Amino acid sequence: MEKWVILCGYETVKDALINYAEEFSGRPDSPISSVTSNGYGVIFSKGDNWKVMRKFTLSTLRDFGMGKKTIEDKISEECENLIQAFRSYGGKPFDNQSIVNAAVANIIVSILLDCRFEYDDPTILKLMNLVNENIRILENLMVKLYNSYPTLIGWLPGSHRKLAENYKKLQDFVISTFTKLEKDLDVNNQRNLIEAFLVKGKPESTLYYHNKNLSTLVVDLFSAGMETTSTTLRWGLLLMMKYPEIQKKIQNEIETVIGSAQPQAEHRKQMPYTDAVIHEIQRFGDIVPGNLPHSPTRDLTFRGYFIPKVKSDTVQHFMM
């Protein structure tokens, strides 16, 4: 019962997301997101709430190292831990999903909570299992049916209910964590993103800086960051095994440019072959094939087609 506009092709999608970023910055309502994030956080929020949360998230991530040498050091340290974990299997086959997930999660956790977990820590294993299960559930037929017929399907048992339960468990963990942090909060010395958010909520408006936004934002960052990055890394490992000749060329470039030094972002421009292979892994792996749905914030004409702003909750015009 909803109208969709499907954008296809690199140039078209780039035009929409870059040149019409503001016009296509809205998020359509969906029954499944209403029982999970419910418009809070950053991924499925919209309007002023999305603008405030996005601005806070980007500025705070930069403050705590994103794009800076501090985060490079943390990544290098975590890489050493990951390599040691790989070596502990003595060359025997093993499932790398949990280990790679945990390594990536630790980088995100270092920004969110200013700590790290061992790869077999029950807390990080529980969080990763909840995230991975929810991502699988999102592709489930029952969820798709619930999005189409929420009144009819809502009262039935099924994966749509499990998704909501898992999301609640993730939020409960975040709430219990920042409740502990709040007791020792130092407004002049914020150690992580959660503390930075709590400080924002004290002297400033609580219109946006409240617990629902915080818990959803942290779940958004943890879930999206861990899943996409770890899946890309695992695709990379698989493809390097499948194409050893490409792996050898990359290894030669690494040894020539970096040698035994610590890898840094500045090395990227000196390593065109490795950079190209990473981009090809991302293209081939197709981690988020449909991206997230968008909704126009105003009436507009895009490439000769008139796309109206959503006028009601019953008829929606989506863009992917």
Side-chain angles (χ1 to χ4, degrees):
M1 300 302 292
E2 298 166 346
K3 295 181 179 179
W4 286 74
V5 177
I6 309 299
L7 302 190
C8 300
Y10 172 79
E11 293 298 335
T12 303
V13 174
K14 180 181 178 182
D15 188 16
L17 297 182
I18 301 299
N19 300 324
Y20 292 84
E22 180 66 26
E23 290 83 349
F24 286 130
S25 64
R27 280 277 186 263
D29 293 320
S30 70
I32 201 64
S33 66
S34 68
V35 298
T36 53
S37 57
N38 197 27
Y40 297 113
V42 70
I43 293 180
F44 286 104
S45 64
K46 54 188 176 181
D48 290 339
N49 190 79
W50 174 76
K51 292 178 181 178
V52 172
M53 289 298 99
R54 182 178 183 273
K55 181 179 179 181
F56 165 80
T57 302
L58 289 175
S59 62
T60 307
L61 288 176
R62 292 191 190 102
D63 290 341
F64 289 106
M66 187 179 74
K68 299 179 181 178
K69 185 156 184 10
T70 50
I71 199 68
E72 287 184 1
D73 293 339
K74 288 180 180 178
I75 292 172
S76 293
E77 290 173 13
E78 197 61 50
C79 281
E80 286 299 321
N81 291 321
L82 182 61
I83 291 169
Q84 293 303 318
F86 281 1
R87 286 174 175 165
S88 68
Y89 289 90
K92 297 178 181 178
F94 65 97
D95 185 350
N96 63 40
Q97 181 175 6
S98 177
I99 300 174
V100 173
N101 277 356
V104 173
N106 271 334
I107 303 301
I108 302 167
V109 168
S110 71
I111 297 174
L112 300 179
L113 297 172
D114 191 32
C115 68
R116 76 173 296 276
F117 296 99
E118 295 298 327
Y119 297 157
D120 58 354
D121 188 293
T123 300
I124 195 70
L125 291 176
K126 179 181 178 180
L127 291 175
M128 293 189 304
N129 288 337
L130 289 172
V131 170
N132 289 330
E133 184 176 27
N134 275 3
I135 290 171
R136 288 194 297 270
I137 290 174
L138 282 172
E139 294 301 316
N140 191 281
L141 176 62
M142 203 66 175
V143 171
K144 299 181 189 302
L145 287 173
Y146 177 72
N147 268 336
S148 299
Y149 312 102
T151 304
L152 177 64
I153 303 296
W155 60 273
L156 293 174
S159 54
H160 58 297
R161 288 180 174 270
K162 183 63 175 176
L163 184 75
E165 291 173 12
N166 287 352
Y167 203 90
K168 178 68 165 54
K169 290 177 181 177
L170 286 168
Q171 287 189 311
D172 287 345
F173 169 78
V174 176
I175 292 171
S176 65
T177 299
F178 70 66
T179 300
K180 296 173 185 175
L181 291 175
E182 200 167 17
K183 296 176 182 178
D184 302 318
L185 183 63
D186 183 352
V187 295
N188 298 314
N189 181 29
Q190 297 128 53
R191 297 164 295 179
N192 51 60
L193 182 140
I194 291 179
E195 289 188 346
F197 190 103
L198 293 173
V199 169
K200 280 277 189 181
K202 289 186 177 297
E204 296 186 17
S205 170
T206 56
L207 179 61
Y208 302 108
Y209 294 98
H210 49 71
N211 289 356
K212 288 183 178 179
N213 252 338
L214 176 55
S215 60
T216 307
L217 174 63
V218 172
V219 172
D220 284 350
L221 293 174
F222 183 82
S223 303
M226 184 199 74
E227 169 59 25
T228 54
T229 306
S230 61
T231 301
T232 301
L233 288 171
R234 295 178 68 231
W235 267 113
L237 291 172
L238 176 64
L239 291 170
M240 290 306 95
M241 288 188 289
K242 183 172 176 60
Y243 300 101
E245 68 281 4
I246 294 178
Q247 180 186 164
K248 184 174 179 58
K249 290 180 181 179
I250 291 177
Q251 188 63 49
N252 289 339
E253 191 172 64
I254 291 173
E255 291 175 353
T256 301
V257 177
I258 301 177
S260 59
Q262 178 177 301
Q264 296 177 344
E266 63 187 38
H267 289 130
R268 176 177 172 179
K269 55 182 175 289
Q270 302 171 256
M271 304 172 69
Y273 187 83
T274 303
D275 192 39
V277 170
I278 291 172
H279 279 79
E280 177 62 9
I281 289 169
Q282 293 177 315
R283 185 201 67 81
F284 184 88
D286 202 10
I287 309 303
V288 189
N291 207 333
L292 292 170
H294 292 249
S295 179
T297 58
R298 65 172 179 82
D299 292 353
L300 78 152
T301 299
F302 178 72
R303 299 211 161 192
Y305 293 90
F306 175 70
I307 305 177
K309 177 184 177 181
V310 176
K311 297 296 192 302
S312 70
D313 293 332
T314 55
V315 180
Q316 298 176 342
H317 303 266
F318 298 150
M319 184 278 290
M320 286 186 71

